[in-house]
Amino acid sequence: MAEQHQVVNALSSVVNLAENDESDLALDGLGQLIEYYRVPVLRTEYEWLVIAATQLDSMDSLTDTGVERLVIADQPDD
């Protein structure tokens, strides 16, 4: 339960950065959070992150943290 609280706090910080026009820092924080907590990322979500990182000229936020190692397949539509 304590770890879940830490994840929520970390995500709140990322959201605050994004809301305050600190998108590049938010992307950095999100990449670090994903890596640290080993959060699985759907393929589609990763593609969205790549688009955002490319637009922000901040691909290192994803590559330096190794987020691509945590990408999993999207769930098939039922």
Side-chain angles (χ1 to χ4, degrees):
M1 186 68 150
E3 185 172 325
Q4 184 179 13
H5 184 69
Q6 290 173 332
V7 173
V8 169
N9 284 341
L11 282 172
S12 294
S13 295
V14 170
V15 169
N16 286 336
L17 286 168
E19 289 177 340
N20 289 303
D21 289 331
E22 297 290 344
S23 301
D24 52 338
L25 292 176
L27 187 60
D28 244 6
L30 185 58
Q32 292 170 4
L33 186 143
I34 291 168
E35 177 195 27
Y36 183 81
Y37 290 104
R38 300 291 190 240
V39 176
V41 179
L42 295 176
R43 167 71 44 205
T44 303
E45 293 169 332
Y46 181 71
E47 290 169 1
W48 294 336
L49 289 172
V50 168
I51 290 168
T54 301
Q55 291 175 345
L56 294 168
D57 193 28
S58 189
M59 273 303 291
D60 58 333
S61 296
L62 301 179
T63 56
D64 289 355
T65 55
V67 170
E68 68 277 356
R69 293 178 288 127
L70 299 167
V71 173
I72 60 173
D74 289 336
Q75 299 298 321
D77 294 333
D78 290 327

